[in-house]
Amino acid sequence: MLKQPSRQATKTKAKSAGVIHRGTCMCPLKSVHRMGGSSTTSSSAPSAVGAAGCGARASDKRLIELLRRVAADGKPLRVGFVGAGMMAGAMIRGLVTSATCTADNMIASDAYRPCLDTLAAELKMKVTDENTEVASSADVVFIATKPQQVQDVCAAIGKSGANPIVVSIAAGVTLDSLAGWLPSGCRIVRVMPNTPCMVGELAAAYAPNAACSDADAALVGSILGALGTVFKVKESDLDAVTGVSGSGPAYVFQFIEALSDGGVRA
């Protein structure tokens, strides 16, 4: 009979694999106030310090320098979304609810105006019809469109002249493809999220490209970590992630629905 690993052993293994657990903050600057850098442990106000801190390693000197600069400047984290559908909307609401980013420091664009109107009315956040405006207004831009629309979105980001970290949640679009459509040297992260994000239980994996520094990857990882549990993986592992955590919940929903139907018929 196989011996099952203990919960502690499983946690240790997960941490060594790079998982960022919700609520975990190993940032050496976690005592810095989330707005403006005053020395208090208040967690009621959001900013880039609080967001970038979660999951950071004390040995990452570049990340420490980044956090100190943000704290000193008092500049909050700015996040943009190109695409404001169900997944993007869930992520936006999750970032606000977790106090990772305030609604007034987020911006979204979408070709379908009702999606934007809903977010604007509910969260009082800025919305626009121009993808270039999103790129110019954010430190991190999420591409949350259909895969066939990604190339045009990348062209708009390049046209903006800005240099945000670009995070794509479009299924099947590789880092090489994104790099070919975006300006040279662009920092790119590919993410495979899943539908439990809509109830604050994201289980995702992300893979940064070579242009991303450790600080860039940690920042994106901690933004995602505010929505659930995330792993940093090699891009070659994302296909497996897509099949298991990306598509898996849909099969579970189908199974639950079948059980429910069976119960009714019985």
Side-chain angles (χ1 to χ4, degrees):
M1 184 175 179
L2 292 175
K3 184 178 180 182
Q4 295 294 323
S6 66
R7 284 184 75 180
Q8 185 58 41
T10 303
K11 279 187 177 180
T12 302
K13 184 176 180 181
K15 283 186 178 180
S16 65
V19 65
I20 301 175
H21 291 283
R22 184 201 312 278
T24 299
C25 181
M26 296 182 289
C27 172
L29 300 180
K30 62 184 177 181
S31 62
V32 176
H33 190 280
R34 288 181 157 186
M35 288 295 285
S38 62
S39 295
T40 172
T41 56
S42 170
S43 59
S44 60
S47 86
V49 176
C54 294
R57 297 180 180 179
S59 59
D60 189 343
K61 293 182 179 179
R62 281 177 293 183
L63 181 57
I64 295 172
E65 290 171 2
L66 170 67
L67 295 175
R68 282 178 178 154
R69 186 168 68 252
V70 171
D73 294 346
K75 293 181 178 178
L77 177 69
R78 302 176 303 160
V79 179
F81 285 81
V82 177
M86 291 181 66
M87 184 64 73
M91 295 177 74
I92 290 169
R93 292 179 180 91
L95 293 177
V96 172
T97 301
S98 64
T100 300
C101 189
T102 57
D104 57 355
N105 284 309
M106 287 196 283
I107 182 172
S109 63
D110 198 288
Y112 186 59
R113 189 70 200 187
C115 286
L116 298 180
D117 292 341
T118 297
L119 290 172
E122 179 184 338
L123 301 175
K124 306 296 187 267
M125 65 177 287
K126 185 175 182 179
V127 296
T128 177
D129 296 319
E130 299 296 330
N131 296 338
T132 51
E133 185 177 359
V134 174
S136 300
S137 305
D139 305 304
V140 180
V141 172
F142 283 83
I143 300 178
T145 64
K146 297 185 186 306
Q148 62 268 28
Q149 298 170 327
V150 173
Q151 186 171 0
D152 289 341
V153 173
C154 290
I157 293 173
K159 184 180 177 181
S160 73
N163 185 35
I165 300 173
V166 177
V167 184
S168 172
I169 68 171
V173 182
T174 66
L175 288 174
D176 282 344
S177 293
L178 292 164
W181 300 330
L182 288 162
S184 177
C186 185
R187 297 164 295 166
I188 309 167
V189 180
R190 182 181 166 194
V191 180
M192 186 64 239
N194 62 0
T195 52
C197 174
M198 297 175 187
V199 291
E201 294 295 341
L202 175 73
Y206 69 102
N209 72 345
C212 286
S213 66
D214 291 343
D216 296 328
L219 177 58
V220 172
S222 58
I223 291 172
L224 296 170
L227 306 173
T229 302
V230 294
F231 290 85
K232 180 181 177 183
V233 301
K234 296 179 294 184
E235 187 183 18
S236 58
D237 292 330
L238 284 179
D239 287 341
V241 172
T242 301
V244 179
S245 67
S247 303
Y251 289 100
V252 174
F253 297 154
Q254 186 72 24
F255 172 68
I256 293 172
E257 184 177 22
L259 283 176
S260 176
D261 290 344
V264 171
R265 290 174 185 173

